[in-house]
C-alpha cells in the first residue's frame, strides 16, 4: 500500500473578522459593569429602613432611610426592615386571684425602634417579634391577671387593659421594641366558673321574682284593707243617715223601682207587675207615709 501523508491546509480555515474579539470583550465588560451597577444599588421602600452588613467590619451602625442607596457589591449586603406597626394576637391561659382559670387574648401593635435596628439585628435577628413578644406577653399577663378576681376582670376590664399596656411598654423597651396599642379582645373562663355564673344569675332571677310576688301580695293586702275600710265607712255613714232621716230608705227604694221599671219598659212583651215587684209595698204612695214595719 502506498503511504499517503496527511496534510492540513490552513488556508481553508475561515478567519474571524477583524475586531470581533475586541467587540465581544466589550459586550462582556459592559454586561459586567451593568450587573455591578445594579447590585450596588439598594432601594428602600416606604415604611421600611435598611442596615448594611460589611464583610470586614460587620453590621454598620448607620440606618438607611427610604430611597435609593449605594453599597459595595459582594463586600456589603443590605438587610431591609419593615418599621410599620404590625398587629399580633397572643393568647395565654392563666389563673386569677380566686384560682379561676382564665383564657385571655390580647392584640398588640408593635414595631422596632428605628434608631436601634443594628442592635436588634445583632441580638434578635429579623424575626425579633417572634422571639420576644410571646414570652413577655405571657409573663405580663400571668403577673397581672393573678392580681384580680374573675369578677373583677369583667367589671374592671378597662383598668386591667391599661395596666397590661403600661407593663408591656416598659418590658418591650428592654428589647428596643415600641408598642402603639394593647387591647383585650377575648376573655373566657373555665366551664365550672361559667356554670357557677349561670346558676348565680338564675338564683338572682328567682329571688327577684319572689320579691315581686311578695310586693304584689302586700299591695293586694293593702288594697283589700283600704276597700274594706271604705265599705265600713260607707255603711256607717248610711246607718247614721238613716237614723237622722228615715226617708233615705224610701229614696233608695224609689230609685231601685225606677231602674226596674225602666228595664221592663224596654221588653216587647206586656207585663203586669205588682207593688212588691217594684219594691213599693213598704209604704203608702197616696199618703206619703213611712214604710210599714
Amino acid at each position: 500500500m502506498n503511504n499517503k501523508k496527511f496534510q492540513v491546509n490552513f488556508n481553508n480555515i475561515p478567519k474571524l473578522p477583524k475586531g470581533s474579539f475586541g467587540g465581544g470583550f466589550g459586550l462582556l465588560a459592559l454586561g459586567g459593569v451593568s450587573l455591578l451597577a445594579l447590585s450596588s444599588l439598594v432601594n428602600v421602600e416606604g415604611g421600611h429602613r435598611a442596615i448594611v452588613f460589611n464583610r470586614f467590619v460587620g453590621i454598620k451602625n448607620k440606618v438607611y432611610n427610604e430611597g435609593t442607596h449605594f453599597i459595595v457589591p459582594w463586600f456589603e449586603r443590605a438587610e431591609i426592615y419593615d418599621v410599620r406597626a404590625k398587629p399580633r394576637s397572643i393568647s395565654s391561659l392563666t389563673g386569677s386571684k380566686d384560682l379561676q382559670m382564665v383564657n385571655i387574648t390580647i392584640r398588640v401593635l408593635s414595631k422596632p425602634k428605628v434608631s436601634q435596628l443594628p442592635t436588634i439585628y445583632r441580638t434578635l435577628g429579623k424575626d425579633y417579634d417572634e422571639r420576644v413578644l410571646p414570652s413577655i406577653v405571657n409573663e405580663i399577663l400571668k403577673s397581672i391577671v393573678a392580681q384580680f378576681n374573675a369578677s373583677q376582670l369583667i367589671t374592671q376590664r378597662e383598668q386591667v387593659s391599661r395596666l397590661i399596656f403600661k407593663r408591656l411598654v416598659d418590658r418591650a423597651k428592654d428589647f428596643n421594641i415600641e408598642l402603639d396599642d394593647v387591647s383585650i379582645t377575648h376573655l373566657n373562663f373555665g366551664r365550672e366558673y361559667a356554670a357557677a355564673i349561670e346558676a348565680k344569675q338564675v338564683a338572682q332571677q328567682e329571688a327577684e321574682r319572689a320579691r315581686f310576688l311578695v310586693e304584689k301580695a302586700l299591695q293586694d293586702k293593702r288594697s283589700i284593707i283600704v276597700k274594706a275600710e271604705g265599705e265600713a265607712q260607707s255603711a256607717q255613714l248610711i246607718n247614721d243617715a238613716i237614723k237622722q232621716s228615715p226617708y233615705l230608705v224610701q229614696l233608695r227604694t224609689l230609685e231601685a223601682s225606677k231602674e226596674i221599671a225602666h228595664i221592663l219598659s224596654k221588653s216587647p212583651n206586656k207585663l203586669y207587675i205588682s207593688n212588691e215587684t217594684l219594691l213599693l209595698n213598704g209604704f203608702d204612695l197616696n199618703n206619703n207615709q213611712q214604710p210599714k214595719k
Side-chain angles (χ1 to χ4, degrees):
M1 294 180 63
N2 296 327
N3 295 329
K4 294 182 179 181
K5 295 182 179 179
F6 180 77
Q7 296 180 353
V8 178
N9 188 0
F10 292 97
N11 293 328
N12 295 330
I13 298 176
K15 297 181 180 180
L16 295 174
K18 295 182 179 180
S20 61
F21 181 76
F25 180 78
L27 290 176
L28 291 176
L30 180 61
V33 171
S34 300
L35 182 62
L36 187 65
L38 290 176
S39 61
S40 64
L41 297 178
V42 175
N43 291 322
V44 181
E45 302 293 338
H48 294 72
R49 297 293 186 273
I51 58 175
V52 173
F53 171 77
N54 187 284
R55 293 183 181 273
F56 297 106
V57 298
I59 294 293
K60 293 183 177 180
N61 291 326
K62 181 180 178 181
V63 178
Y64 294 81
N65 296 323
E66 302 167 0
T68 301
H69 305 276
F70 176 80
I71 61 174
V72 180
W74 191 83
F75 290 100
E76 293 181 337
R77 181 183 75 250
E79 297 291 345
I80 308 296
Y81 272 88
D82 187 351
V83 295
R84 294 171 295 187
K86 294 183 294 183
R88 182 183 179 90
S89 295
I90 302 174
S91 299
S92 177
L93 182 63
T94 182
S96 62
K97 187 177 181 180
D98 53 353
L99 305 180
Q100 297 293 335
M101 297 307 297
V102 182
N103 189 3
I104 183 172
T105 302
I106 65 172
R107 185 189 63 124
V108 181
L109 286 177
S110 64
K111 61 183 179 182
K113 190 174 182 179
V114 174
S115 61
Q116 297 298 323
L117 285 179
T119 302
I120 293 176
Y121 187 83
R122 291 190 189 101
T123 57
L124 300 174
K126 298 189 71 173
D127 57 344
Y128 63 94
D129 52 344
E130 294 282 349
R131 294 172 179 266
V132 174
L133 290 180
S135 59
I136 65 173
V137 167
N138 276 281
E139 173 191 351
I140 298 302
L141 287 180
K142 291 182 183 298
S143 63
I144 292 179
V145 171
Q147 302 175 16
F148 296 87
N149 295 328
S151 59
Q152 292 175 333
L153 292 175
I154 299 175
T155 58
Q156 303 179 19
R157 181 168 179 164
E158 185 176 355
Q159 178 182 351
V160 174
S161 181
R162 287 199 303 267
L163 185 58
I164 292 174
F165 176 71
K166 183 178 182 301
R167 294 281 299 276
L168 273 179
V169 168
D170 295 339
R171 191 74 176 89
K173 285 181 180 179
D174 298 337
F175 301 94
N176 299 308
I177 298 175
E178 298 177 349
L179 300 182
D180 290 342
D181 181 66
V182 176
S183 59
I184 299 175
T185 57
H186 293 89
L187 188 63
N188 300 322
F189 299 93
R191 294 181 179 178
E192 295 81 3
Y193 185 74
I197 292 178
E198 183 178 358
K200 182 179 179 181
Q201 290 177 345
V202 171
Q204 289 178 346
Q205 292 175 357
E206 291 293 335
E208 290 293 333
R209 183 172 179 273
R211 185 170 63 180
F212 170 75
L213 293 176
V214 171
E215 291 179 354
K216 184 175 181 297
L218 291 175
Q219 291 293 337
D220 293 342
K221 181 180 178 181
R222 295 191 188 100
S223 177
I224 294 172
I225 292 174
V226 171
K227 183 178 179 181
E229 291 177 350
E231 291 178 351
Q233 291 178 1
S234 176
Q236 183 64 36
L237 291 174
I238 293 174
N239 187 31
D240 294 341
I242 292 174
K243 290 179 179 181
Q244 295 178 3
S245 175
Y247 295 102
L248 179 63
V249 176
Q250 296 182 12
L251 177 61
R252 293 289 185 262
T253 303
L254 290 174
E255 291 176 351
S257 301
K258 181 179 179 181
E259 184 176 356
I260 293 173
H262 179 70
I263 295 173
L264 295 177
S265 65
K266 295 182 179 180
S267 175
N269 302 321
K270 293 183 178 181
L271 299 175
Y272 297 94
I273 57 176
S274 62
N275 290 341
E276 183 178 358
T277 305
L278 292 175
L279 303 177
L280 299 176
N281 60 344
F283 54 90
D284 188 354
L285 295 177
N286 296 324
N287 299 326
N288 229 2
Q289 294 178 353
Q290 295 183 5
K292 298 178 181 179
K293 296 183 181 178

